[in-house]
Amino acid sequence: MEKNIIELIDIVKTFPGVVANDHVNFSLKAGEIHALLGENGAGKTTLMNILYGIYRMDSGKIKVDGREVQIRSPRDAIKLGIGMVHQNFKLIPAHTVTENVILGSEGSRLILDVEGAAKEIRSLALNFGLYVDPLAEVWKLSMGERQRVEILKLLYRNVRVMILDEPTTVLTPQEKKELFISLKEMCSRGKSIIFITHKLDEVFEISDRVTVLRRGKNVATKVTRETSKVELANLMIGRPVVFEYVKNPLKPSGIALKVENIRVLDEDGNLKLKDVSFNLRFGEIVGVAGVAGNGQRELAEAITGLRKVYSGKIYVCGKDLTNLSPKKFFENGVLFIPEERLGVGTAPNLSLAENLILKTYDRKPFSNSILLNYKEIQKFSEKLVKDFEILCPSVRVPVKFLSGGNLQKVVLARELGSPVGGDGHVIVAMYPTRGLDVGATEYVRKLLLKMRDEGNAIILFSEDLDEILSLSDRIFVMFEGKIVGEMLSHEADIEKIGLMMAGVMGS
Amino acid sequence: MYKIQFFPRERISTIKSFAISLASILLAFLVSGIIFVLTNVDPILAYYSLFKSFTNLALLSESVVRAIPIMLVALGLALAYKANFISVGGEGQIYVGGIIATFIVLWNIQNNIIPEPLFMPITLILVFLGSSIWGIVPAFLKAKFEVNEVLTTLMMNYIAQIISNYLVIGPWKDPKGYGFPQSQAFPQYARFPLIPNTTINSSIFIGLSAALIIYSILAKTKFGFEVKVVGDSYPTAKYAGISYTKVVCIVMAISAGLSGLAGMSILSGVIGRLRPDFSPGYGYTGIIVAWLCNLNPLIIIFGSIFFGGLLVGGEVLQSSMGLSVGVTDVFQALMLIFTLSGEFFKRYRVVWRR
């Protein structure tokens, strides 16, 4: 058996009110890919931030090569050969790949040898299959390429241990495949990798061993091929989980939303939607797949009235709402679950109750022509808290103190529980389960299916293809501001969707 | 080696919060005490003079007089800050209010059209509306063209003050004023009557009602709700369909209107005529008071009186110990710095660790 190059022993880290890591043990062997699996908030990233010197642990020991070490900063970690790629990349967009890679490790010489560095980077890139032009400026690169730059940064610093925090979230299926090939190549050359994820499939695709964290505790470490998806899921959640969603047969009834040749500009005047047209019917879920930044945000904002269209028409239930205010859209039954829950979907310092009436505060019974009626607001919000199972100390708590799952429930409760529009609504859901733990994800998905069965029209933007495949009736694929593919979900093929997302083929 | 770490607090007990405020104020005293010592002044004696205004009835009454304009400005600013509109335009709006009030007075002296009993109510309304228009300018620029409001409001202060000074040495100079740069005196009907046996003029009631009104707007009305949403998160307001332009324009109309009334209260309540540089920085003191009082309109009433007292105390200090009035400014600034730092400790707790 290979020896452990890293050992984390009895790590404890607390944040106010939370024990993020509760006596966690973890070890990494030379040359292995070790998956760190857990729901959001299980303490995976915290544990790795401790190893990388970003957080200081309250107690515990870190051993590298069998010797106890103090890691006070990422600089210390890098010196010990440990590097980390964060979920949010830390690159300077205006600089080139090479400049980003060498930043911080220029040495003490006066003259910067950029060309030499670029050469070295090119050869590293070739060796590990991390194709990216060393002289390209980072802002021109795709998210997949930026990730390669982050990895090259670590390889350039000659780290032995690489921590990757949820690296596949920003990738197309093809890019993900390429990443996995590169990772295996690195391992065969003696690097060790810690792979943080909450996706079970990835654990089986890539890892040799897996450690499961649940609520800050490590519940098990397993050799991957000796375990199963069901076992890991149970360990991760602490109870059995539904993987398949029961979907009732499609019963569409009339067109809810009709979008005709819309063109939309972004803040800088670039065309972000190029002649997009589609229909959305009551009683169906349409899933929109695509790599982030291909016009999904602009489309969602256009069909909820938040962004003006440059040309084209938008009809809701046959009514022309083109370029009317978000308020008008809401009043006509267009409900929006935005991408950012905190800061768009809710106002952080306002109370739960205030956030629940954010869109209906100006109507009866919540207010008369001037004054708010706090009694009615309280009554209404307590009812929603109960109906949507929102966990909170009281309806007066500022929503910034709620967890991601509860916050999403606040948004859902307001959008779906507010008295507006007619019978059927158009629900625009942007990444509604992003960052949620498995329990909350299950809740949101089931709720969306229930809304569909009740005859609402739903358009679901998601980066999780499994989510799109299991919930949608039809699937659109977006690439560079166009819907490049449309298919029925039971005829969909994940490979084909991936190629469309990458712009390689359109239907 | 010890390491200091900060953790956000979820909530804080009233006692702790009070203790932190008290500690901040004491530290401000301590540091300004050091400055006193460095300038060869006995700090105990200095503080005694500075706070004499709160022990002596005549000085207290004078402190309240100073508090009126500060209160009006601070209330308006607090409303703007609640909408996250960082106006520093109180000083200019004071001058605008003063200019409008003086204009109406001089015009009525000539034409004698507004009947005397109606003069003050009409003038109050016109001063409020006129200053509001002045205040809407930076709000509109911000909402439509994203022009930074700190810069516009600050620059407009100079414009207003210079126009006011020009008028008083130019077209509005009192021809019978022996060449002094001042306007004709306001006639009795254009003055706020004094509260019997005090030096306090009746514009104090405008300040007190303004505090109640601003408080109610924020706590009870639909508009107050919109202000809070806009102030907390602009994207959320947009998403909820709340018009940013409408909210900041109304907020600044009220804010500038109140500061305009502050200007009028100085002229009609205290000086009785337009003079150059008639506001000794009340517009800026208002900023300090608004923040120190946590943007709470009811606390601002007391905060203004406290700062009014400091101003009076500063003058006592100047006359009795020969110190510059600047000392009060230093003290005020230290109070602001320490209280704002105290706010940080109310939001975060500190942990010392080896």
Side-chain angles (χ1 to χ4, degrees):
Chain A
M1 209 63 191
E2 312 89 338
K3 62 177 183 356
N4 289 331
I5 53 173
I6 287 184
E7 280 174 87
L8 300 177
I9 302 158
D10 255 359
I11 304 289
V12 177
K13 171 76 188 172
T14 53
F15 292 111
V18 204
V19 185
N21 289 148
D22 190 356
H23 298 277
V24 175
N25 292 294
F26 176 88
S27 65
L28 182 71
K29 290 175 185 162
E32 78 166 341
I33 299 183
H34 195 140
L36 191 54
L37 178 70
E39 295 189 278
N40 285 291
K44 302 171 302 226
T45 305
T46 306
L47 186 66
M48 288 304 116
N49 276 338
I50 289 172
L51 178 58
Y52 192 49
I54 290 179
Y55 292 152
R56 301 289 300 277
M57 57 199 168
D58 298 346
S59 70
K61 265 188 219 167
I62 301 176
K63 284 186 177 174
V64 175
D65 295 325
R67 269 181 308 136
E68 190 176 341
V69 292
Q70 297 287 334
I71 301 178
R72 289 197 185 81
S73 69
R75 193 171 279 263
D76 288 354
I78 300 248
K79 260 189 222 153
L80 290 164
I82 302 165
M84 181 159 175
V85 177
H86 287 93
Q87 225 169 334
N88 307 315
F89 301 147
K90 305 189 186 305
L91 297 171
I92 304 171
H95 285 189
T96 65
V97 170
T98 306
E99 286 166 342
N100 268 289
V101 167
I102 61 178
L103 182 69
S105 63
E106 307 91 342
S108 51
R109 280 165 302 152
L110 279 176
I111 294 162
L112 199 55
D113 181 14
V114 178
E115 265 172 48
K119 222 165 151 189
E120 196 179 330
I121 291 163
R122 192 167 283 132
S123 83
L124 278 174
L126 248 130
N127 280 339
F128 293 103
L130 297 163
Y131 305 107
V132 56
D133 175 8
L135 302 177
E137 280 151 8
V138 165
W139 62 269
K140 292 179 182 160
L141 303 180
S142 75
M143 291 314 265
E145 289 171 310
R146 288 180 202 202
Q147 185 176 58
R148 288 178 211 153
V149 178
E150 286 279 8
I151 295 174
L152 285 169
K153 228 159 106 179
L154 300 182
L155 291 172
Y156 184 81
R157 284 161 179 71
N158 212 5
V159 303
R160 300 175 292 160
V161 175
M162 211 172 284
I163 306 163
L164 305 176
D165 192 357
E166 308 259 3
T168 58
T169 352
V170 293
L171 303 181
T172 65
Q174 278 77 15
E175 284 177 321
K176 183 170 119 182
K177 255 186 206 160
E178 287 164 19
L179 171 70
F180 282 4
I181 293 170
S182 302
L183 294 184
K184 285 188 173 139
E185 178 62 31
M186 288 174 210
C187 282
S188 69
R189 289 170 186 247
K191 312 267 182 210
S192 316
I193 292 164
I194 301 172
F195 190 96
I196 304 180
T197 185
H198 65 266
K199 294 181 188 149
L200 289 167
D201 296 322
E202 294 179 355
V203 172
F204 289 95
E205 269 175 79
I206 187 90
S207 73
D208 302 307
R209 286 199 301 161
V210 50
T211 291
V212 185
L213 289 188
R214 186 172 80 226
R215 290 172 186 225
K217 293 192 172 116
N218 59 327
V219 285
T221 298
K222 302 259 176 194
V223 174
T224 308
R225 62 184 135 72
E226 291 168 7
T227 179
S228 69
K229 208 166 148 178
V230 175
E231 185 189 15
L232 288 185
N234 290 346
L235 285 169
M236 187 161 123
I237 322 294
R239 64 179 167 80
V241 206
V242 193
F243 276 109
E244 299 297 328
Y245 292 88
V246 190
K247 219 160 72 180
N248 297 322
L250 179 65
K251 277 182 277 174
S253 64
I255 291 174
L257 173 73
K258 187 180 169 76
V259 172
E260 269 181 10
N261 297 316
I262 55 166
R263 292 172 169 216
V264 170
L265 306 176
D266 69 5
E267 287 73 9
D268 302 324
N270 303 312
L271 196 59
K272 287 300 242 188
L273 288 183
K274 302 165 185 167
D275 286 316
V276 170
S277 303
F278 64 88
N279 288 332
L280 177 66
R281 293 167 300 175
F282 285 116
E284 72 169 347
I285 297 182
V286 168
V288 180
V291 177
N294 277 290
Q296 295 96 319
R297 173 190 280 263
E298 287 76 12
L299 178 57
E301 289 181 352
I303 59 179
T304 50
L306 281 167
R307 194 178 281 269
K308 298 268 172 276
V309 302
Y310 179 73
S311 65
K313 292 275 177 201
I314 297 170
Y315 301 92
V316 174
C317 301
K319 212 162 151 189
D320 184 0
L321 295 187
T322 315
N323 284 346
L324 293 183
S325 66
K327 210 168 203 126
K328 279 274 172 301
F329 274 81
F330 181 72
E331 281 163 3
N332 281 284
V334 180
L335 313 177
F336 186 25
I337 296 148
E339 195 175 351
E340 296 94 355
R341 279 158 220 148
L342 198 65
V344 177
T346 57
N349 293 302
L350 295 196
S351 73
L352 177 52
E354 287 172 319
N355 272 294
L356 285 173
I357 54 145
L358 201 53
K359 288 188 174 178
T360 44
Y361 70 94
D362 57 348
R363 55 179 75 202
K364 286 193 158 103
F366 307 125
S367 60
N368 59 24
S369 53
I370 296 170
L371 297 178
L372 288 173
N373 184 340
Y374 272 101
K375 216 187 241 165
E376 285 295 329
I377 293 168
Q378 172 110 0
K379 223 166 75 193
F380 173 71
S381 32
E382 274 164 4
K383 181 175 172 295
L384 286 187
V385 163
K386 219 168 88 205
D387 291 353
F388 286 81
E389 301 163 27
I390 302 167
L391 288 179
C392 61
S394 90
V395 296
R396 287 194 202 87
V397 68
V399 292
K400 66 176 175 189
F401 293 126
L402 299 183
S403 71
N406 276 309
L407 205 55
Q408 187 68 308
K409 284 182 183 173
V410 173
V411 176
L412 289 165
R414 183 188 56 228
E415 298 299 307
L416 308 179
S418 288
V420 285
D423 295 334
H425 295 118
V426 176
I427 301 168
V428 181
M430 278 213 97
Y431 310 110
T433 61
R434 182 197 275 171
L436 298 188
D437 61 41
V438 176
T441 301
E442 214 182 311
Y443 178 92
V444 172
R445 290 181 181 165
K446 279 187 177 157
L447 185 62
L448 288 177
L449 284 173
K450 186 174 146 237
M451 296 314 286
R452 160 194 182 265
D453 292 344
E454 286 173 4
N456 297 289
I458 299 172
I459 179 164
L460 165 72
F461 294 83
S462 179
E463 54 213 352
D464 183 344
L465 284 183
D466 293 330
E467 175 168 284
I468 287 188
L469 286 168
S470 60
L471 296 186
S472 327
D473 301 299
R474 281 192 294 156
I475 297 173
F476 294 161
V477 184
M478 287 195 77
F479 178 71
E480 293 194 337
K482 284 186 195 149
I483 293 177
V484 293
E486 183 188 337
M487 63 203 85
L488 295 173
S489 66
H490 59 268
E491 292 166 0
D493 165 12
I494 203 161
E495 194 73 12
K496 201 170 132 197
I497 297 177
L499 290 172
M500 287 176 172
M501 281 165 70
V504 178
M505 64 179 275
S507 59
Chain B
M1 199 188 79
Y2 281 92
K3 200 172 148 88
I4 308 170
Q5 285 175 307
F6 301 102
F7 297 108
R9 295 176 194 269
E10 287 205 13
R11 48 185 66 80
I12 181 166
S13 67
T14 324
I15 299 172
K16 232 181 210 167
S17 168
F18 182 73
I20 291 173
S21 299
L22 196 68
S24 321
I25 292 173
L26 289 179
L27 273 171
F29 275 98
L30 190 74
V31 175
S32 40
I34 294 171
I35 294 172
F36 286 140
V37 171
L38 290 176
T39 45
N40 286 323
V41 175
D42 178 354
I44 310 284
L45 206 60
Y47 285 131
Y48 175 72
S49 319
L50 208 49
F51 286 97
K52 222 174 168 178
S53 10
F54 300 108
T55 55
N56 172 317
L57 261 186
L59 288 178
L60 185 61
S61 146
E62 191 53 34
S63 306
V64 174
V65 171
R66 307 293 176 97
I68 299 168
I70 298 175
M71 193 183 302
L72 284 162
V73 174
L75 288 168
L77 291 177
L79 182 66
Y81 298 156
K82 278 278 182 192
N84 200 19
F85 192 92
I86 309 302
S87 162
V88 291
E91 186 75 359
Q93 292 148 10
I94 289 177
Y95 281 98
V96 171
I99 292 169
I100 298 170
T102 311
F103 173 79
I104 300 170
V105 170
L106 297 181
W107 176 83
N108 206 48
I109 289 175
Q110 286 216 324
N111 303 300
N112 223 347
I113 287 176
I114 309 175
E116 287 185 12
L118 288 181
F119 185 84
M120 285 310 261
I122 290 177
T123 310
L124 279 172
I125 292 168
L126 292 177
V127 165
F128 188 93
L129 293 179
S131 315
S132 294
I133 294 167
W134 181 267
I136 288 174
V137 173
F140 184 80
L141 289 175
K142 162 106 179 184
K144 288 293 166 205
F145 308 108
E146 292 179 31
V147 183
N148 184 309
E149 73 273 26
V150 180
L151 292 178
T152 43
T153 49
L154 185 66
M155 292 305 150
M156 285 174 77
N157 286 350
Y158 296 110
I159 299 174
Q161 188 170 1
I162 289 166
I163 291 176
S164 169
N165 287 353
Y166 159 74
L167 289 171
V168 89
I169 55 173
W172 290 355
K173 187 152 100 177
D174 182 3
K176 290 176 229 140
Y178 307 104
F180 280 111
Q182 56 184 27
S183 76
Q184 239 176 300
F186 287 16
Q188 202 50 45
Y189 63 80
R191 304 286 306 261
F192 287 111
L194 296 185
I195 297 174
N197 302 324
T198 67
T199 52
I200 304 169
N201 66 70
S202 48
S203 63
I204 180 77
F205 298 113
I206 300 172
L208 296 177
S209 354
L212 285 176
I213 291 169
I214 300 290
Y215 175 82
S216 314
I217 287 178
L218 286 170
K220 303 212 187 304
T221 66
K222 278 200 299 201
F223 178 69
F225 182 73
E226 291 171 356
V227 169
K228 285 188 278 183
V229 177
V230 165
D232 193 37
S233 167
Y234 167 72
T236 308
K238 191 178 168 212
Y239 162 78
I242 296 170
S243 160
Y244 180 77
T245 312
K246 181 192 112 183
V247 170
V248 292
C249 284
I250 297 180
V251 156
M252 276 311 286
I254 298 175
S255 179
L258 290 176
S259 293
L261 293 184
M264 178 177 168
S265 87
I266 300 171
L267 301 189
S268 292
V270 184
I271 306 178
R273 51 174 24 122
L274 185 65
R275 283 215 184 114
D277 305 318
F278 66 85
S279 163
Y282 288 140
Y284 301 109
T285 310
I287 300 173
I288 303 180
V289 171
W291 285 116
L292 282 186
C293 299
N294 218 356
L295 309 184
N296 181 326
L298 302 181
I299 301 180
I300 284 175
I301 298 174
F302 301 100
S304 315
I305 295 174
F306 179 70
F307 268 78
L310 282 185
L311 288 178
V312 174
E315 281 162 24
V316 173
L317 208 60
Q318 188 184 24
S319 55
S320 65
M321 306 180 74
L323 268 181
S324 142
V325 189
V327 169
T328 353
D329 292 341
V330 170
F331 185 66
Q332 277 187 22
L334 285 167
M335 289 280 287
L336 181 70
I337 289 168
F338 279 100
T339 325
L340 289 185
S341 323
E343 286 303 309
F344 175 82
F345 291 101
K346 284 182 191 173
R347 268 182 283 137
Y348 293 88
R349 80 197 156 84
V350 187
V351 177
W352 294 76
R353 183 172 293 144
R354 247 219 280 231

